[in-house]
Amino acid sequence: MMHSIFWTGRVLSRAIRNGLSNLSSAAELNVSKKKHPYLVSVVCGFPKDIANGRSHKGQFGDDAWFSTTFNNADVIGVADGVGGWRAYGIDPGEFSSYLMKTCERLVRMGHFKLSEPGDLLAKSYYELLEHKKPILGSSTACVMILDRNESIMRAANIGDSGYMVVRGNRIVHRSHEQQHYFNTPYQLSLPPPGHDRNVLSDRPESAETAEFKVESGDVILVATDGVFDNVPVTVLVAEMRRAQGMDNDSQKLQAVANSIAWMARNLSFDGCYMSPFAKSARQNGIDAIGGKPDDITVLLAIVAL
């Protein structure tokens, strides 16, 4: 037993060490010489199966993310592949990864509208549907576009991934979960032939959209439900407040992102913890306690001038 525990610890420690090292090198530092706002963004995450799951730039397990720029725009996004497809022999991470990689490519090519993050998400989804080799599965997604010239952030969110914006001591903007019923979020889907009637599939036009002004110092968290289901909002706000004033220090910003991701990871496997997910389950008549083991993706950004 002692040997088993020691081996697991070694694997976990190595995975975390390598993961954080890779993440630090993958942190996106978006710098503009203009006196317009821009995003300094970093990322951290863990696959649910930390020993065997994917953990590299753009993906943590079945979660996917991107951060890129084009002219006067900064664009960030996350997606969460629906794990239930694994029971059908389908890799849930392929759908979410393709969705985010396509969004990133479209932005870098300039094939998007500053005012319509939902359109960017839709273009990526419809391109996925037309892929020669079908990429089956489902995913939630959240995309945000900062228009530097106008100091305006626009967001599109479908499902239970999402974002929060903290200014000073409080949340000034946040997304809201879209659920068909408990633990069944809205999702973009491409089911196998013959399964259309049995699979939830929402149109990208169903995404919740928002538009708001941003200010220098605003801290923005974009994350998958592995974060929001396990870390209370009050704790997230406290962590995000620590990031204020770190627009010129990406390493310290990275440390805050690492802290949030590691906290979500630990709490997700705490069987005695009354998590936000467990509280929601109880509100829906399900006697539950403990965290919700899941892939974790934290994309943390600060608005700088």
Side-chain angles (χ1 to χ4, degrees):
M1 176 62 73
M2 287 298 293
H3 176 75
S4 176
I5 292 173
F6 176 67
W7 180 85
T8 302
R10 286 175 58 195
V11 171
L12 184 61
S13 297
R14 185 168 65 250
I16 293 169
R17 184 172 64 251
N18 292 342
L20 295 186
S21 174
N22 290 338
L23 293 171
S24 295
S25 64
E28 300 282 347
L29 178 59
N30 306 321
V31 181
S32 170
K33 294 181 180 179
K34 299 181 180 180
K35 292 184 179 180
H36 295 301
Y38 60 92
L39 295 182
V40 177
S41 62
V42 297
V43 68
C44 183
F46 299 101
K48 180 169 65 174
D49 182 355
I50 206 164
N52 301 306
R54 284 171 293 232
S55 184
H56 53 74
K57 181 174 171 59
Q59 204 164 12
F60 300 113
D62 300 333
D63 286 359
W65 61 273
F66 78 98
S67 174
T68 193
T69 65
F70 180 81
N71 290 345
N72 294 316
D74 293 310
V75 190
I76 54 180
V78 299
D80 179 4
V82 176
W85 285 109
R86 192 166 279 107
Y88 296 87
I90 295 170
D91 181 355
E94 285 191 2
F95 191 99
S96 56
S97 178
Y98 187 93
L99 198 66
M100 293 293 94
K101 285 180 178 179
T102 304
C103 282
E104 182 175 18
R105 176 172 52 79
L106 290 172
V107 171
R108 290 184 173 180
M109 294 173 64
H111 296 172
F112 74 106
K113 300 175 182 177
L114 275 172
S115 59
E116 297 185 28
D119 181 66
L120 173 62
L121 196 56
K123 284 180 178 177
S124 178
Y125 172 64
Y126 291 129
E127 184 173 313
L128 182 151
L129 296 184
E130 295 175 2
H131 199 270
K132 290 182 179 180
K133 179 183 177 181
I135 300 173
L136 306 176
S138 307
S139 181
T140 66
C142 180
V143 173
M144 304 186 79
I145 301 176
L146 172 63
D147 181 339
R148 294 179 182 174
N149 289 338
E150 301 296 329
S151 300
I152 290 177
M153 181 71 82
R154 297 180 176 92
N157 181 67
I158 187 160
D160 57 5
S161 293
Y163 65 88
M164 285 174 47
V165 182
V166 167
R167 180 180 301 155
N169 300 324
R170 63 191 182 94
I171 299 171
V172 290
H173 303 287
R174 67 179 299 184
S175 57
H176 300 91
E177 283 190 354
Q178 293 178 307
Q179 299 269 4
H180 289 282
Y181 42 89
F182 174 68
N183 202 29
T184 307
Y186 281 35
Q187 53 200 264
L188 304 176
S189 302
L190 178 56
H195 286 71
D196 301 62
R197 294 184 178 180
N198 304 321
V199 174
L200 290 172
S201 183
D202 299 286
R203 296 176 60 82
E205 291 79 13
S206 299
E208 173 197 65
T209 59
E211 176 179 315
F212 48 86
K213 282 276 190 179
V214 293
E215 298 179 6
S216 177
D218 285 354
V219 180
I220 302 166
L221 170 67
V222 188
T224 53
D225 66 327
V227 176
F228 298 116
D229 282 344
N230 290 297
V231 185
V233 170
T234 53
V235 177
L236 289 174
V237 171
E239 287 293 307
M240 292 170 70
R241 287 182 61 194
R242 290 177 51 216
Q244 291 170 347
M246 293 183 178
D247 48 302
N248 291 318
D249 195 333
S250 61
Q251 289 188 345
K252 288 184 178 178
L253 187 64
Q254 182 72 58
V256 176
N258 295 351
S259 174
I260 294 173
W262 184 231
M263 187 184 309
R265 168 75 185 177
N266 278 341
L267 292 174
S268 73
F269 285 95
D270 186 338
C272 299
Y273 164 58
M274 186 55 69
S275 64
F277 180 80
K279 290 180 180 178
S280 180
R282 293 194 172 199
Q283 290 171 359
N284 284 273
I286 302 170
D287 187 13
I289 191 170
K292 180 191 175 189
D294 204 348
D295 302 314
I296 307 293
T297 298
V298 172
L299 206 168
L300 189 65
I302 188 166
V303 178
L305 284 177

